[in-house]
Amino acid sequence: MVSLFVALAVLASDVPTVAEASRAMDRAVRFFRTSVSAHGGYLWRYSADLKKREGEGKADPDCVWVQPPGTPAVGMAYLSAYELTKRGYLLDAAREVGECLLQGQLRSGGWAHEIRFEPSARSRYAYRVDPERPRANDRSQLDDDMTQSAIRFLLRLEKAQGRKDRRISEALDYALDALIEAQYPNGAWPQSFTGSNRASSRPVKAASFPETWSRMYTARPYAEHYTLNDNVMGAVIETLLDAWDFRRNARYRDAAVRGGEFLALAQLPEPQPGWAQQYDAEMHPAWARKFEPPAITGGESQQVMRTLIALALRTGERRFLAPVPRALAYYRRLLLPDGRLARFYEIGTDRPLYFTQRYELTYDDSDTPTHYSFKVASH
């Protein structure tokens, strides 16, 4: 019994007090703001001496990353700490992140994967706050939760400030309007956008299988395909529902609902009632990158089902649950011996598809590239 009390005392002494945790947070935030931050923004990783700085790739001292876990993610951490403690310096830190994102908002309404501040590099982008440059990059990215994460952070910052910062509110108005404009008539969003898709003449139809599909990479543009890859649609719908929660504007809910209606349309027909990573204008599974073929996906389909369930819960519309049971039953049949799912299953056969390191399509998983998940967890 004495030894038990001793052990408990040792364990208890290892638990920091509130004061100790608070001091540690103060030091960490001070270090991030004064030594790590660049122009109020952040990257993904830094060496101990801060000389090496990286997002998805190497970055110079005047470059910050939007793509998670970059600038918006750090801002969210500041806001979470502020909401728990109400310490003003944490809100100040979040405001710095907000200012950085304002400097990186594109004229098309969203954000690219990075924000540049060095003048020559910055001139390559069509930032709203800068003079207009007709040939500059103005493509807002929805891939990898880029634009969406920036909007969600700014929504939370707007709320934390009681909607008193007009510049934040105006940037949000602009971004959310652009996001709604980028939605296709069938409810889908592309991987990225430069303007409105609302007047698109593409047909509104349910997903179907092509009569034939190329097993060779087609190298065709895919940025404007209807995109589920990397949870594009799920992140957009989550963002719009958050905007509806925070701002009570029915336009945001309506756009999210149309997105859910697209997810129902995009479910492929029996006997393969799953989803593809991306669809062309005819609602056929389509090629994207050289290792992303037309196929049923075991990865993004799980995200689709979670999004449909979240939509049903947050809107009260149970119709969004209808596609889930038959998809679940289908994917249970596709489980690999180790309990995982292949990222891709062949149209018509359900055979798992992989790529060799030379990017040749194959049924063999022994020589796959290491930069991509060709097998995914099932949960």
Side-chain angles (χ1 to χ4, degrees):
M1 183 64 71
V2 172
S3 62
L4 176 60
F5 285 137
V6 170
L8 289 173
V10 170
L11 287 172
S13 67
D14 289 340
V15 177
T17 66
V18 171
E20 289 170 336
S22 180
R23 286 194 294 271
M25 181 177 68
D26 292 348
R27 290 196 302 272
V29 172
R30 188 181 309 113
F31 174 69
F32 259 61
R33 292 176 71 186
T34 60
S35 300
V36 178
S37 170
H39 305 275
Y42 299 88
L43 298 167
W44 287 5
R45 60 183 72 88
Y46 304 82
S47 62
D49 60 6
L50 300 180
K51 292 181 179 179
K52 294 181 180 178
R53 310 162 58 85
E54 295 181 348
E56 193 168 22
K58 292 181 180 179
D60 64 54
D62 292 305
C63 174
V64 302
W65 230 250
V66 177
Q67 181 180 352
T71 299
V74 177
M76 284 291 202
Y78 290 150
L79 284 177
S80 293
Y82 170 71
E83 289 163 2
L84 289 169
T85 66
K86 300 304 180 185
R87 295 193 172 190
Y89 78 93
L90 293 165
L91 184 57
D92 290 341
R95 288 192 182 108
E96 292 167 0
V97 172
E99 179 61 33
C100 176
L101 290 174
L102 293 187
Q103 296 299 313
Q105 187 176 26
L106 297 169
R107 290 181 177 273
S108 56
W111 283 261
H113 67 283
E114 63 181 6
I115 302 173
R116 294 284 191 164
F117 288 92
E118 191 278 321
S120 63
R122 189 172 178 84
S123 68
R124 298 197 295 267
Y125 287 90
Y127 294 122
R128 284 186 70 209
V129 297
D130 291 350
E132 189 169 358
R133 300 183 180 96
R135 289 182 293 278
N137 179 5
D138 193 24
R139 183 163 288 276
S140 293
Q141 295 290 338
L142 298 176
D143 192 34
D144 287 326
D145 201 20
M146 295 183 207
T147 289
Q148 303 95 308
S149 65
I151 292 174
R152 291 198 304 276
F153 166 74
L154 291 174
L155 282 166
R156 199 165 161 189
L157 178 61
E158 180 186 55
K159 181 181 179 182
Q161 298 184 107
R163 301 197 70 174
K164 294 178 180 178
D165 189 331
R166 291 184 180 179
R167 294 173 68 238
I168 295 294
S169 295
E170 191 275 334
L172 274 170
D173 292 342
Y174 192 89
L176 288 163
D177 286 348
L179 196 58
I180 291 173
E181 285 292 321
Q183 188 175 30
Y184 286 107
N186 66 358
W189 276 274
Q191 184 195 53
S192 59
F193 63 90
T194 57
S196 178
N197 290 313
R198 295 185 70 183
S200 171
S201 60
R202 294 181 175 199
V204 177
K205 57 169 66 175
S208 61
F209 296 110
E211 291 185 8
T212 61
W213 60 278
S214 174
R215 298 181 71 87
M216 301 294 293
Y217 177 52
T218 57
R220 293 174 182 165
Y222 58 87
E224 296 183 0
H225 282 347
Y226 309 138
T227 303
L228 306 184
N229 194 5
D230 290 327
N231 199 31
V232 163
M233 288 282 298
V236 173
I237 289 170
E238 177 190 358
T239 300
L240 288 166
L241 290 175
D242 284 354
W244 176 50
D245 285 344
F246 285 128
R247 292 178 143 210
R248 307 314 296 176
N249 186 325
R251 292 176 63 237
Y252 307 144
R253 181 191 186 279
D254 292 346
V257 165
R258 290 195 299 273
E261 290 168 347
F262 170 79
L263 295 179
L265 278 177
Q267 186 173 29
L268 291 158
E270 296 284 359
Q272 294 181 293
W275 287 267
Q277 282 190 332
Q278 52 276 320
Y279 301 78
D280 62 21
E282 295 300 318
M283 284 292 279
H284 294 153
W287 277 97
R289 291 175 289 188
K290 62 183 177 181
F291 45 86
E292 293 171 330
I296 292 89
T297 174
E300 283 75 6
S301 292
Q302 296 181 68
Q303 296 166 341
V304 169
M305 287 186 276
R306 284 192 285 269
T307 298
L308 289 168
I309 292 168
L311 257 173
L313 290 171
R314 295 181 71 173
T315 65
E317 297 199 27
R318 295 181 59 83
R319 62 191 172 111
F320 291 119
L321 299 176
V324 175
R326 62 181 181 273
L328 278 175
Y330 171 62
Y331 282 108
R332 286 193 182 103
R333 298 196 297 270
L334 298 184
L335 287 172
L336 301 172
D338 64 2
R340 291 186 292 172
L341 286 164
R343 189 69 172 269
F344 303 115
Y345 290 90
E346 188 175 41
I347 292 171
T349 71
D350 283 340
R351 293 184 68 180
L353 292 173
Y354 305 99
F355 282 85
T356 68
Q357 295 199 36
R358 295 172 61 87
Y359 296 100
E360 297 166 340
L361 198 59
T362 179
Y363 300 120
D364 183 358
D365 65 353
S366 64
D367 185 38
T368 57
T370 58
H371 65 83
Y372 195 77
S373 298
F374 289 98
K375 294 180 182 180
V376 296
S378 172
H379 52 73

